[in-house]
Amino acid sequence: MTNWYIKCVVISPTLSSDPQWREKAKASIEGQGITNQGRVRSDNIANKSCDGLLFRSQPEIYLYQAFKALGVSFAPLPVFIRGGKDYRRIEPDFVIIKDGLIMIIEVDGDTVHRETPAEAHTRLTMLTHEGAISERVLASECSTPENAKKCASQLLEILNKRRKA
């Protein structure tokens, strides 16, 4: 069977009935679902969601809910890029902005964080060398909503001490 060949390929759309197609099209046009959150790290994809935002672990969701309840301005899993010849892209777990200070928060110790402390330090230098404060918390410190509230309050207290200093 050596003289086989493909003569023709036909690609055609499949029509399907979706009663919500108008709402979905409108949401797409309005940019709903478009975020500045990490979505493409193939080695550690954010596969959990809460309030339409992405997270990599349940402790991160609890910490998100705690920050939200405290009324602080923050970004969960934002993407930061440094351009130029030394291009870098990082996705810290959280970034808080309060009273003119910026704090990066990494939630460590669960199964989705595999880097060593030295690797994490190196990864975050593009922000810490610009003046951001870096804090690491254990996932166990955010393992319940109550623990996460306590952890969030302690992180905000660190920012308050830095502001006063």
Side-chain angles (χ1 to χ4, degrees), residues 33-50:
I34 297 172
T35 71
N36 184 33
Q37 288 197 288
R39 291 179 168 264
V40 296
R41 274 190 56 191
S42 60
D43 63 335
N44 196 1
I45 296 171
N47 61 358
K48 297 187 181 301
S49 67
C50 179

Side-chain angles (χ1 to χ4, degrees), residues 22-36 39 52:
R22 282 185 176 89
E23 291 83 7
K24 290 178 181 178
K26 183 180 177 195
S28 177
I29 290 169
E30 291 174 349
Q32 293 179 17
I34 297 172
T35 71
N36 184 33
R39 291 179 168 264

